[in-house]
Amino acid sequence: MPSALPAGDPAPADGSLPASALTELGDEPVSLYLHVPFCATRCGYCDFNTYTSAELGSAPGSSRQAFLDATQAELALAAGVLGERRVDTVFVGGGTPTLLAADELVGLLAAARQHFPLSDDAEVTTECNPESVDAGYLEALVAGGFNRISFGMQSARGHVLRVLERSHTPGRVADVVGWARAAGFGSVSLDLIYGTPGESLDDWRASLETALALAPDHVSAYALIVEEGTRLAAQIRRGDLPAPIDDLQADCYELADDLLSASGMGWYELSNWSRPGHQCRHNLAYWRGASWWGVGPGAHSHVGGVRWWNVKHPRRYSAVLAQGHSPAAARELLDADARRVERVLLESRLGEGLELSVLTASERARVPDLLARGLIEVGSDDRWSSQPEVNNLRSSVPDHRWSSLSRPLADARLRLTRKGRLLADAVVRDLLD
């Protein structure tokens, strides 16, 4: 079942934002996320806000057309709140966006364009189940303005796909990647999952090698998380399947980093690698705390320190918008300290790192210990800084734990080593006040 929404404060029916949020936003561009909540089947590990036809039934507001009408209404509401606003990235996720007909998916993008001008170099992505498209479908997406696609490969091993309850066959991914290239997509990404019950390290190696043989521009590799309320969780609880093994997942991560790096891909976020110029700009906007509007049932948004989330069920989503109201279920206004903590949580995951100036004095005092333990490195580009704070930190650790500094402490950054990436949550816990 989909996970529950968080609690929050009441959200205004007209979708309006505090003046402080709009002032902070200024003339900056935003990103758009469009959530398509439909799936042909529910995978056993999934707790996303998605629904099959059987789950939705035929009640009013459950149809694809009702969903498309409602998204049009929310886009109009967003434009009324944000005004004439340039959009740098659009990401269509789900669910399975490609369960929509090609003209419907292209129409969703056209509706976004109707209300928001896209940058000339806008990144426009859709997620895709390999089984749900053919060559003609992909050609229609490119003609309609999509330039990036992310295929849910997950694994190259049939027995792993069966445990995950994925519907495609291993060889299908090669077909769709070839069609995507021929159609003219400028960037092709593959999503992989490791740590599935019954998957060996050799199975995972085979999946990585199969993926790399397709020469993707971007790879996301995620450790399987067993979410409460899913069929997979029930199977593990009953003893039908073994639980994921932490040490094996760590070995899988290191193998992924080795093979992807050797292929010319650079790690730029904890679970993401890309060829130069192919980082996912949309997801970087999330990790850097930028502003985005999430359209669709259960979609989350953030603008200028205000976060809100929509009602989850497609019928409720459609009904609220049909009444002329915002679909936001609740919202929260983030204070300065909450936003600072979020910066630490998110930016420490990035290959570009976290500015040390974001940390409090007591948090910076913990940096030498994390350096000495080989969990982080602190650096910049060219040479050591002469700033006293940096010199004090440097004196506490061996030279090989440091990268060069060329700017004052305000510009120095902290980033995770590979050992630190394996313990990222623990590193942040140790760092924060």
Side-chain angles (χ1 to χ4, degrees):
M1 294 297 292
S3 56
L5 288 172
D9 300 321
D14 62 0
S16 59
L17 292 170
S20 60
L22 295 175
T23 298
E24 179 179 327
L25 182 59
D27 296 327
E28 290 298 307
V30 297
S31 293
L32 284 179
Y33 172 74
L34 306 172
H35 184 73
V36 179
F38 308 122
C39 275
T41 60
R42 178 175 293 281
C43 299
Y45 64 92
C46 178
D47 75 336
F48 295 164
N49 190 46
T50 64
Y51 304 84
T52 65
S53 296
E55 290 169 337
L56 286 174
S58 57
S62 299
S63 68
R64 291 197 311 201
Q65 189 57 54
F67 161 75
L68 292 170
D69 291 344
T71 56
Q72 286 261 19
E74 187 178 2
L75 285 164
L77 183 146
V81 172
L82 297 178
E84 183 81 3
R85 179 74 51 180
R86 180 166 51 89
V87 166
D88 275 352
T89 70
V90 179
F91 194 105
V92 187
T96 307
T98 45
L99 276 187
L100 297 176
D103 62 337
E104 292 174 327
L105 188 49
V106 168
L108 194 58
L109 177 59
R113 277 201 178 112
Q114 176 186 343
H115 297 288
F116 296 97
L118 266 61
S119 302
D120 291 341
D121 66 342
E123 175 192 89
V124 184
T125 304
T126 186
E127 294 180 334
C128 180
N129 184 318
E131 204 67 34
S132 63
V133 297
D134 58 21
Y137 189 109
L138 296 175
E139 290 168 1
L141 293 189
V142 171
F146 286 89
N147 53 33
R148 185 177 183 276
I149 193 161
S150 180
F151 291 112
M153 176 179 171
Q154 317 311 356
S155 176
R157 294 298 206 199
H159 71 93
V160 175
L161 292 173
R162 286 191 292 274
V163 171
L164 293 173
E165 301 183 48
R166 298 291 295 183
S167 60
H168 66 273
T169 56
R172 181 69 174 184
V173 178
D175 292 335
V176 295
V177 169
W179 295 335
R181 295 293 190 198
F185 276 95
S187 195
V188 175
S189 179
L190 298 176
D191 279 5
L192 299 172
I193 292 178
Y194 59 88
T196 300
E199 179 186 53
S200 68
L201 190 61
D202 285 341
D203 289 329
W204 175 236
R205 180 186 294 275
S207 293
L208 289 165
E209 291 175 343
T210 300
L212 287 171
L214 301 177
D217 303 297
H218 184 282
V219 170
S220 299
Y222 301 108
L224 179 67
I225 297 174
V226 181
E227 303 285 1
E228 284 302 316
T230 62
R231 284 197 301 275
L232 179 61
Q235 290 171 307
I236 291 173
R237 188 167 54 250
R238 291 194 305 265
D240 297 338
L241 290 171
I245 302 169
D246 290 344
D247 287 347
L248 178 57
Q249 287 193 330
D251 291 341
C252 288
Y253 184 89
E254 291 183 324
L255 180 60
D257 194 44
D258 286 341
L259 296 185
L260 294 170
S261 298
S263 78
M265 288 191 173
W267 159 71
Y268 73 97
E269 191 276 337
L270 202 61
S271 302
N272 291 273
W273 292 257
S274 77
R275 302 194 188 284
H278 289 275
Q279 295 180 343
C280 180
R281 288 162 47 198
H282 184 87
N283 286 341
L284 280 170
Y286 294 156
W287 296 319
R288 291 169 176 164
S291 291
W292 76 91
W293 193 296
V295 174
H300 288 233
S301 303
H302 169 262
V303 174
V306 182
R307 180 183 293 118
W308 68 95
W309 43 93
N310 287 348
V311 295
K312 296 190 69 170
H313 201 282
R315 284 200 297 271
R316 178 63 178 155
Y317 174 76
S318 297
V320 171
L321 281 159
Q323 296 167 2
H325 296 158
S326 165
R331 76 180 189 185
E332 59 180 338
L333 277 63
L334 303 172
D335 61 25
D337 188 59
R339 297 182 74 180
R340 188 192 70 81
V341 169
E342 286 200 356
R343 282 195 67 181
V344 176
L345 289 169
L346 295 173
E347 293 181 27
S348 63
R349 298 170 59 93
L350 296 176
E352 66 193 35
L354 168 75
E355 291 181 5
L356 281 177
S357 59
V358 175
L359 302 178
T360 65
S362 59
E363 289 166 352
R364 285 200 300 273
R366 298 175 191 135
V367 168
D369 177 64
L370 293 171
L371 284 158
R373 290 157 60 192
L375 299 174
I376 64 169
E377 57 187 359
V378 175
S380 189
D381 297 329
D382 302 316
R383 59 184 175 80
W384 288 113
S385 166
S386 61
Q387 293 294 304
E389 295 93 335
V390 174
N391 291 334
N392 289 341
L393 290 176
R394 184 182 186 278
S395 67
S396 304
V397 296
D399 287 346
H400 71 275
R401 294 298 188 195
W402 289 77
S403 50
S404 297
L405 291 174
S406 63
R407 294 185 293 271
L409 178 61
D411 291 328
R413 291 179 174 272
L414 167 160
R415 68 176 183 180
L416 298 170
T417 61
R418 188 160 84 170
K419 178 181 176 182
R421 282 184 261 161
L422 294 172
L423 301 167
D425 291 342
V427 171
V428 170
R429 283 197 303 269
D430 287 351
L431 186 62
L432 284 171
D433 283 333

